[in-house]
Every structure is written in structure tokens, then in C-alpha cells.
Amino acid sequence: MSMQKENSPTDQTKNKRYVFAQRQEDDFTCIKLTEGIYEGIIYKYDKVSFEEKPLDSGDIPLRFTYDIMANPNKEEIESEDFRNYIGDILVEIVNQQLEEGKITINE
């Protein structure tokens, strides 16, 4: 009899504070936060856009809206801290997809 080996972590789950989540009946993917005070919150990004002009630092401001799909611990989700937290995740996702060639930015 053979024993199933333990699944090794994927790039998505290794050292991440989030995972992608999707219900079978939905045509969109959500983000589920997996650690810290926001653990368990599930949300999705709505509109994501970049400002046309970069800041003096060279950074390009990112604007986004989001919908909360689940907030099991009733954490504060309207705060600037939460918005910055999920904004950092969005930047990480965008950078990863740029590196993998899944998205491009038209200049």
C-alpha cells in the first residue's frame, strides 16, 4: 500500500499573507487573508487604475476599490490601515503578474 505524500507548498501559499479563493459559481477570484488581525477576511478588487503622472519619487500611484465578501471576525475594514494592507497586496500581485508576463502596462 502506498501512502500519499504531503503536498509541498506552492508559490502562492509559501510565505504569503493571502491566498486566492473562488467559489465555483463565481466568475471572479477573491483574496483571502491568512494571517494577522485581518485573517479570514475575503475580498475582491473592483476597479484598479494607475495615475497618469508619476510622483516626484518616480512611483506611480495606484487607485482601487474593493468589496468585502466575508469578515468573520468583524475587523475594521474602512480604516486607512486596512486599505494600505490590501493595497500592498495588490502591488505585490501586479508586480508578480508583470514579471510573469500575464499583464503589461501601456505607456
Side-chain angles (χ1 to χ4, degrees), residues 83-99:
R83 186 168 180 77
N84 288 339
Y85 189 82
I86 66 173
D88 289 347
I89 291 172
L90 179 57
V91 168
E92 185 177 321
I93 292 168
V94 168
N95 283 335
Q96 183 178 2
Q97 290 186 352
L98 282 169
E99 288 173 10

Side-chain angles (χ1 to χ4, degrees), residues 1-5:
M1 177 167 80
S2 64
M3 299 290 287
Q4 180 178 356
K5 293 182 180 178

